[in-house]
Amino acid sequence: MDLEANRALIVAALARIPGGDRTALQMVYRLTSAKLFGVCLRILGERSEAEDVLQEVYLTVWRKAGDFDAARASPMTWLIAIARNRAIDRLRASRQSRAMAPIETAGDVADETPRADTMLEGAQRDARLHGCLGELAEHENKALRAAFFDGNTYEELATRMRVPLGTMKSWIRRAMMKLKDCLER
């Protein structure tokens, strides 16, 4: 879809929102949420905060869509301004909510950075785990990673890899046993 057609769809949907048209809001969301989420995330730097602000943006659009004037601004300019302002408001509020303590209390603050030896042990453990994963058959490696790192269910994996459910369970069970043996060596 070209830019002008997209713009016209958003303008038309914004015009229907003041009348309570939820489908119009859904269309605006579908066409603009990725861009607006990017704006919020860039400003806030934290995914959960950006998601919260994005929700506030669409609540504002629901309440204020009647204020939009296509003759004054493009719909994306208007929406980005709302997202930007909401994100900045959230950023300012979070900065103000942090209480400032006197500099004299800085010595009492614990350094929670892991010690160098702890970080080295973790890196070695990670390297060992990746090495052991590399020893698995390709189908076992893919199944195990998808189940435990991506959170897929056995059923989803069996469907995706086109094998019976029992086969998928066996692959993952065997892969875990091989992984355990490798890590114990």
Side-chain angles (χ1 to χ4, degrees):
M1 181 179 301
D2 70 359
L3 205 54
E4 272 309 306
N6 201 18
R7 180 178 196 252
L9 278 174
I10 296 169
V11 169
L14 285 171
R16 293 192 328 260
I17 292 173
D21 188 339
R22 291 174 187 262
T23 307
L25 181 65
Q26 289 171 345
M27 180 181 289
V28 171
Y29 179 85
R30 194 174 61 253
L31 294 171
T32 64
S33 61
K35 176 78 170 175
L36 299 182
F37 178 72
V39 169
C40 295
L41 186 59
R42 189 176 66 242
I43 292 169
L44 296 166
E46 199 172 306
R47 187 172 189 83
S48 64
E49 289 288 317
E51 289 168 352
D52 289 346
V53 169
L54 187 64
Q55 183 176 2
E56 291 174 20
V57 167
Y58 287 102
L59 287 172
T60 301
V61 170
W62 180 253
R63 288 190 314 267
K64 304 234 180 209
D67 296 347
F68 173 68
D69 181 1
R72 292 181 52 207
S74 80
M76 283 309 295
T77 301
W78 186 71
L79 291 165
I80 289 169
I82 292 172
R84 181 181 173 281
N85 291 339
R86 290 279 181 237
I88 290 171
D89 290 347
R90 174 68 65 101
L91 195 60
R92 287 179 182 150
S94 69
R95 285 181 182 160
Q96 289 174 354
S97 67
R98 291 187 215 132
M100 295 296 238
I103 191 68
E104 292 79 27
T105 62
D108 299 334
V109 176
D111 181 7
E112 296 186 20
T113 306
R115 294 180 12 186
D117 60 337
T118 304
M119 289 173 55
L120 182 59
E121 287 172 4
Q124 289 172 340
R125 187 175 50 248
D126 289 350
R128 185 162 172 75
L129 175 62
H130 286 289
C132 290
L133 283 169
E135 292 179 16
L136 298 175
E138 184 178 349
H139 68 276
E140 291 172 331
N141 190 330
K142 282 182 181 178
L144 191 65
R145 285 177 181 270
F148 292 97
F149 298 149
D150 299 336
N152 297 117
T153 65
Y154 293 143
E155 292 83 8
E156 292 169 339
L157 292 172
T159 301
R160 185 181 327 145
M161 296 177 90
R162 295 184 178 108
V163 296
L165 179 60
T167 301
M168 180 54 63
K169 289 180 179 179
S170 296
W171 284 359
I172 292 175
R173 183 172 176 271
R174 267 188 253 124
M176 288 178 56
M177 290 177 3
K178 289 177 184 177
L179 194 60
K180 180 180 182 243
D181 289 344
C182 178
L183 290 171
E184 288 176 349
R185 281 189 248 145

